[in-house]
Amino acid sequence: MPRFALAFSVLALTVAAPLAQEAAPAPATTPTITVDPSAVVDAMPKQGQLLTGLYATQATIELCNITVAEPGVTAMNAHRRQLETDFHLEGESAVKAYETVKADVEKAGVDCAEGSADRQQTDAVIAVYSGT
């Protein structure tokens, strides 16, 4: 019986391949590909977005001299180390990544005034890490 099944399988494959080729649609004409260098491509994984957001929050905390109480400080630092490890950022490369984001935050002009949108967002993140 196994020989019959093997023979039947071989026969089915040899007959199915030409039939599939006949049933396949004709190839389309060569597609036109447009390259737009100004297109926004967001290929950063979610973890990368989290790390960038955490860096931006910590940069705002540093630039605005915001005091963060425990357990917020410990939780933020632990999460930062975890995300950096996920991206194989260690030592100098982690410092450089943070400094790059901090420079972007500084260049964008963070608003440190109490009640500003920047402070509200930072306070919300601090609250999440502090468990409040």
Side-chain angles (χ1 to χ4, degrees), residues 48-65:
Q49 293 173 351
L50 285 172
L51 181 57
T52 302
L54 183 56
Y55 280 164
T57 299
Q58 289 183 320
T60 302
I61 290 168
E62 187 177 330
L63 293 168
C64 295
N65 295 319

Side-chain angles (χ1 to χ4, degrees), residues 27-66:
T29 59
T30 306
T32 303
I33 299 174
T34 305
V35 177
D36 182 3
S38 64
V40 175
V41 179
D42 186 11
M44 183 183 289
K46 188 173 185 171
Q47 295 296 85
Q49 293 173 351
L50 285 172
L51 181 57
T52 302
L54 183 56
Y55 280 164
T57 299
Q58 289 183 320
T60 302
I61 290 168
E62 187 177 330
L63 293 168
C64 295
N65 295 319
I66 299 170

